[in-house]
Amino acid sequence: MTQDSQTQTQTPQAAPAPTHMRAPVPVQTRSERFTSTEVSEFPAVTGREPMWKYTPVARIQELTTGDLDGSPYVYDVTSAKGVSTLWVGREDSRIGRAGRPEDRASANAWTAFEQALLVSISADLSGDHREVTLSRAGLGAAPRAAHTVVEVAEGATATLILQNTGAAHLTENVEFLLGRDADLTVVSLQEWDDDALHVAAHFARLAEGARLKHVAITLGGGVVRLNPSAHLAGARSDAELLGAYFADATQHLEQQVYVYHDGPETRSRVTYKGALQGEGARTVWIGDVLIGPKAVGTDTYEQNRNLVLTDGARADSVPNLEIETGDIVGAGHASATGRFDDEQLFYLQSRGIPEEEARRLVVRGFLAEIVQQIGSPALQERLQAKIEAELETTSVTAASTEAAH
């Protein structure tokens, strides 16, 4: 782990600088970031802050500084045995157990929401797999705040699909509370309208033996910033965070992932893959993994891959790994951003496939690695069709240069 340091030279006669003039002490570990549920305790966002420097803050200013509508909204949910939804008050004891805001947009949503949507998933002794879809569409262009809590009982198993479509100017927090030996797959689908704004923080807390698969698929929206975090608090808990995104011209799609290994013998895998095409297409991926001093026997790996399809697109990829114990199984990270693999294209063309179709096949296969891990055949088929439609909108040509890392 690398730490920043600052050295100051001072004559013996010099008086100490006033407190308000001293340089701030840099945050040394990811877990030491300031958190608060009150937006007033965060300074205004300028875009120079480490957590905001890749984000087009001017485009989402209304979500970080403006007044928000925090009233309950209309949603649809498919029925499943042992799964219920209910609006609960801010005083509910489950709110805030998974995490607290680290940035002003998240805190603004927390300050403004009136009621939280509680999704309760109880244990099902029959052993049947349950798949539930929670849909939101047409939230409108007015700035809005939301809060959701997903509580998964001890030993419960389910797949929860969070489907977002239509218009939205939304900032929100979503909490996942996984009980002992619970197994939850979450699929968050961002298929917003082209001018939608969506800033979301997902917090997950895993008890002993719990398993979480979190899949973020982002294909729509003008600016979408989805930051998932997983706190592996219990021994032998397991988190798999997956993501696939496709950015078109002027779209900004951003993910800041955080995995905190706190309990012993925990495991995590992070894999995000993205494709970009069109002038001004921009993606950002930041991956933070922290192995705490009690997390002996940790096994973790994170990676991000980006495929730049045309000139004028840019992908930023920043993996970070912090280790506070020497007794681990393994830890690593990887990041790569580039254009098409010429050997793959040559192979496909040598089999009689036209170049344009060959390029589409490469992109389709590149993102399919993530989509195929969702575990819902019908949803996987629909998303593959959506990706195919994205590829049809612009001629997929080789980028002349590699994107910036």
Side-chain angles (χ1 to χ4, degrees):
M1 181 177 66
T2 302
Q3 296 184 343
D4 296 332
S5 61
Q6 184 174 0
T7 303
Q8 294 181 337
T9 302
Q10 184 174 310
T11 62
Q13 294 79 17
T19 301
H20 71 278
M21 294 178 61
R22 295 176 188 170
V25 177
V27 174
Q28 298 296 331
T29 65
R30 182 65 166 77
S31 60
E32 293 178 356
R33 281 189 180 179
F34 173 76
T35 64
S36 175
T37 59
E38 292 294 330
V39 66
S40 61
E41 296 184 2
F42 287 86
V45 176
T46 66
R48 294 187 296 271
E49 303 83 358
M51 68 180 64
W52 289 107
K53 66 180 182 179
Y54 296 102
T55 310
V57 295
R59 294 174 67 179
I60 60 169
Q61 184 176 8
E62 62 188 290
L63 302 181
T64 61
T65 62
D67 295 331
L68 304 173
D69 178 3
S71 62
Y73 50 84
V74 176
Y75 67 91
D76 293 319
V77 61
T78 59
S79 61
K81 183 179 179 181
V83 180
S84 63
T85 59
L86 176 70
W87 291 104
V88 298
R90 295 177 60 92
E91 71 283 354
D92 191 283
S93 61
R94 287 160 290 199
I95 296 175
R97 284 174 53 194
R100 289 159 53 91
E102 294 183 338
D103 63 58
R104 188 178 174 93
S106 176
N108 203 19
W110 204 297
T111 300
F113 84 91
E114 297 174 5
Q115 292 180 299
L117 180 61
L118 174 65
V119 181
S120 299
I121 302 175
S122 63
D124 185 2
L125 300 180
S126 68
D128 294 336
H129 181 78
R130 292 168 291 175
E131 181 175 299
V132 181
T133 300
L134 179 66
S135 302
R136 301 180 297 184
L139 294 179
R144 171 176 285 278
H147 198 108
T148 305
V149 178
V150 180
E151 184 179 36
V152 187
E154 178 178 340
T157 301
T159 295
L160 175 63
I161 301 170
L162 305 176
Q163 185 167 291
N164 299 305
T165 59
H169 285 202
L170 173 68
T171 176
E172 65 173 341
N173 297 288
V174 183
E175 301 187 67
F176 302 96
L177 300 170
L178 276 66
R180 183 173 180 176
D181 296 323
D183 189 338
L184 176 67
T185 296
V186 177
V187 185
S188 181
L189 302 177
Q190 286 62 243
E191 300 178 275
W192 300 109
D193 289 349
D194 291 341
D195 57 352
L197 306 176
H198 185 204
V199 179
H202 287 193
F203 305 98
R205 190 180 193 279
L206 284 65
E208 180 179 349
R211 183 180 184 276
L212 171 69
K213 179 189 287 187
H214 184 284
V215 187
I217 308 292
T218 304
L219 302 176
V223 178
V224 178
R225 173 177 151 130
L226 174 58
N227 296 347
S229 63
H231 179 191
L232 282 68
R236 296 176 299 283
S237 52
D238 187 297
E240 189 171 9
L241 280 70
L242 308 171
Y245 45 93
F246 198 127
D248 280 325
T250 73
Q251 272 189 305
H252 179 97
L253 308 181
E254 181 172 342
Q255 296 90 182
Q256 296 191 24
V257 184
Y258 176 36
V259 180
Y260 177 25
H261 288 267
D262 195 10
E265 299 178 20
T266 53
R267 175 188 177 275
S268 71
R269 292 292 185 272
V270 177
T271 303
Y272 272 66
K273 303 183 78 171
L276 305 82
Q277 66 178 10
E279 187 67 32
R282 178 79 181 274
T283 65
V284 176
W285 179 87
I286 299 175
D288 288 319
V289 175
L290 171 62
I291 302 174
K294 298 181 294 182
V296 296
T298 288
D299 180 10
T300 180
Y301 190 82
E302 64 170 346
Q303 61 176 327
N304 175 230
R305 311 288 183 185
N306 297 291
L307 189 57
V308 179
L309 307 180
T310 63
D311 290 333
R314 170 172 172 167
D316 290 279
S317 182
V318 186
N320 301 301
L321 177 61
E322 300 174 87
I323 304 174
E324 296 182 325
T325 178
D327 185 7
I328 64 173
V329 173
H333 59 103
S335 170
T337 299
R339 60 183 183 85
F340 283 101
D341 187 327
D342 292 333
E343 291 186 0
Q344 286 182 318
L345 292 176
F346 176 78
Y347 174 82
L348 292 171
Q349 289 179 269
S350 69
R351 296 301 185 271
I353 299 175
E355 181 180 358
E356 186 70 14
E357 179 60 24
R359 294 185 185 280
R360 290 199 178 99
L361 286 173
V362 171
V363 179
R364 196 179 306 138
F366 178 74
L367 297 178
E369 177 189 353
I370 302 299
V371 175
Q372 290 174 355
Q373 296 186 60
I374 291 175
S376 172
L379 178 57
Q380 291 170 192
E381 183 177 351
R382 184 173 72 81
L383 290 175
Q384 290 284 29
K386 181 77 173 180
I387 292 171
E388 184 68 26
E390 292 278 352
L391 290 169
E392 294 290 344
T393 60
T394 301
S395 177
V396 180
T397 59
S400 61
T401 58
E402 292 193 357
H405 287 251

